[in-house]
Amino acid sequence: MSDFKPGLEGVVAVETEIMEPDREGGTLRYRGIDVEPLIGRYPYENIWGLLVDNDLDSVMPQPEPYQPARLTGNAPSDLQAETARFSGEWKLGKLSEISDQQAREDLGRLSAQMMGIVARSARVADGHTEEVPESVVAKGTTAAEKFLLQWRGEADPKAVKAIDTYWICTAEHGLNASTFAARIVASTGADCGAALSSAVGALSGPLHGGAPAYVKPMLEEVAATGDPEKWVKDTLDAGKRIMGFGHRIYRAEDPRSRILKETARALGSPQIEIAERLEEAALAELERRHPERPLKTNVEYYSAVVLDIAEIPPPLAPAMFACSRVAGWSAHILEQKVTGRLFRPNARYVGPAPRSLATV
Ligand code: COA
């Protein structure tokens, strides 16, 4: 028990063929394939196929007709609740009792629905009570286009490109907290709806998938002060973290951050200038304060800038992340079913020694 690692940092918990984060910050590879040249050539749904089926010509299926039970407009919570409901609605079989092929089918059906739930929840948050007619949504040719049509009834090409690129860049990233959660639940033999809804819950926290929600207000605050250097120093002096910096795995630039920064530039983001100024100031000050621990720009920083091009409201950011991650989660749930073993780590007891009730 002497090898206790808080947060399991550095502990190898599974072997995977899906992807390995490139710690040196060079390349983002899914199933061994560099993702950068795929952007613009294949839409997100083919990347889903690459991750889940190891086949770029396989695609995430089209969603089947389905009416969510009740949407509140809080997309992460709607997504978590509605995804869990599919276990009952569709009578999903337990992973321990169904074939690998059946699990793959369940994951495809669920993934396609999850995007639609987020789009509809965002529409409720915008104050609409009527859904966009199916005939309008059907005009979309890609998942990103359909997503925007289902949400807003229209799909601006720049917004489609921003969302598609963001989804591709964040589709999978090894054994992060949400993927681990999905694999833990899958390891018990639960159904795919239970595994995916657990992953959504894990992704909703600010230390994992929620950071973009904090980045946009941060950029606005910094732009208002006009002095990124001072803002960074004041923030760190107050003991706060700068959202969008630092990563448990990367000790160099996150390749996803580089790709998303280029996308933000290419799509003419109005925030790119202040984002680059803040990045420069933050990297310099973090390096000065933590020379022993490289704290670089992470995926969520430029994700926020790219999502802003599509006018994604910050509270929707975790659910947008969840939409992209359905691919990685599905691939891991399937891998867990095929090759995995029930997770059951140990805890070291550090509580009170045995004592009598009289001492309480
Ligand atoms: N801003 C300021 N300081 C930071 C920091 C940040 N973004 N990230 C880490 N640090 C500091 C911590 O304060 C800590 O300093 P200390 O040792 O003096 O207390 C040190 O770096 C190590 O922090 P720790 O939380 O142990 O690092 P980690 O590798 O476990 O954390 C993150 C990874 C992502 C949780 C962390 O970097 C973070 O909170 N980032 C901001 C949130 C974010 O961008 N999340 C999205 C991740 S993709």
Side-chain angles (χ1 to χ4, degrees):
M1 296 295 256
S2 58
D3 56 353
F4 165 52
K5 302 267 198 252
L8 300 181
E9 185 165 3
V11 173
V12 177
V14 303
E15 290 188 322
T16 183
E17 297 183 358
I18 304 164
M19 82 92 65
E20 164 72 357
D22 179 353
R23 285 172 179 75
E24 303 316 315
T27 314
L28 177 64
R29 287 193 202 87
Y30 295 156
R31 302 246 180 219
I33 295 179
D34 183 359
V35 174
E36 214 164 336
L38 301 181
I39 294 170
R41 255 182 86 189
Y42 290 91
Y44 170 83
E45 44 275 33
N46 290 71
I47 306 304
W48 189 98
L50 172 64
L51 287 164
V52 177
D53 299 326
N54 193 14
D55 180 0
L56 259 175
D57 293 324
S58 166
V59 289
M60 182 178 75
Q62 296 290 332
E64 56 203 84
Y66 177 74
Q67 200 52 48
R70 193 174 91 82
L71 298 176
T72 64
N74 177 328
S77 112
D78 283 345
L79 183 61
Q80 191 179 355
E82 292 291 334
T83 304
R85 281 178 48 79
F86 285 115
S87 305
E89 285 285 344
W90 287 348
K91 300 185 175 38
L92 296 174
K94 303 278 180 212
L95 279 163
S96 55
E97 291 165 10
I98 59 178
S99 66
D100 297 349
Q101 184 52 34
Q102 182 61 55
R104 156 66 179 81
E105 265 178 45
D106 291 353
L107 291 163
R109 291 175 80 198
L110 287 160
S111 295
Q113 285 300 332
M114 287 170 80
M115 310 227 154
I117 288 164
V118 174
R120 286 153 144 174
S121 175
R123 189 166 174 80
V124 170
D126 284 351
H128 294 283
T129 47
E130 301 291 314
E131 293 208 337
V132 175
E134 191 42 48
S135 57
V136 174
V137 180
K139 287 191 184 127
T141 52
T142 63
E145 205 175 349
K146 281 185 200 285
F147 175 86
L148 281 169
L149 287 170
Q150 192 156 31
W151 173 7
R152 296 174 175 152
E154 57 185 33
D156 168 63
K158 262 192 186 182
V160 172
K161 169 84 181 150
I163 290 176
D164 192 52
T165 307
Y166 166 75
W167 278 353
I168 291 174
C169 284
T170 54
E172 154 62 4
H173 205 237
L175 203 64
N176 44 67
S178 60
T179 303
F180 192 29
R183 286 193 77 133
I184 290 171
V185 176
S187 86
T188 70
D191 64 67
C192 295
L196 285 169
S197 67
S198 307
V200 175
L203 191 76
S204 62
L207 297 188
H208 183 14
Y214 299 85
V215 172
K216 189 182 176 207
M218 179 175 81
L219 290 176
E220 286 168 355
E221 203 183 314
V222 176
T225 71
D227 189 345
E229 285 78 15
K230 180 172 179 327
W231 186 90
V232 166
K233 286 192 178 112
D234 289 351
T235 302
L236 294 176
D237 286 347
K240 294 185 194 152
R241 293 187 175 208
I242 305 178
M243 286 296 165
F245 293 86
H247 197 276
R248 190 54 83 71
I249 298 282
Y250 287 121
R251 295 291 172 242
E253 187 190 29
D254 181 332
R256 302 169 299 171
S257 160
R258 188 189 65 236
I259 299 171
L260 289 166
K261 191 196 307 198
E262 281 160 17
T263 305
R265 272 205 208 108
L267 293 177
S269 158
Q271 286 192 316
I272 190 74
E273 195 193 322
I274 190 67
E276 287 185 314
R277 284 181 60 202
L278 175 61
E279 182 183 30
E280 204 182 313
L283 290 176
E285 193 59 23
L286 287 168
E287 159 80 33
R288 204 179 64 74
R289 295 187 188 215
H290 295 278
E292 76 305 334
R293 187 179 187 95
L295 292 167
K296 305 293 184 192
T297 321
N298 66 42
V299 64
E300 307 219 11
Y301 189 72
Y302 283 106
S303 288
V305 181
V306 168
L307 289 176
D308 190 56
I309 295 168
E311 294 177 45
I312 305 293
L316 194 62
M320 293 301 289
F321 200 165
C323 285
S324 61
R325 213 25 89 77
V326 294
W329 293 335
S330 297
H332 277 275
I333 290 167
L334 212 49
E335 191 174 70
Q336 180 66 36
K337 171 172 172 33
V338 176
T339 63
R341 185 169 153 74
L342 176 68
F343 285 100
R344 194 2 178 141
N346 292 327
R348 183 167 63 200
Y349 180 70
V350 292
R355 54 194 176 140
S356 82
L357 249 186
T359 64
V360 176

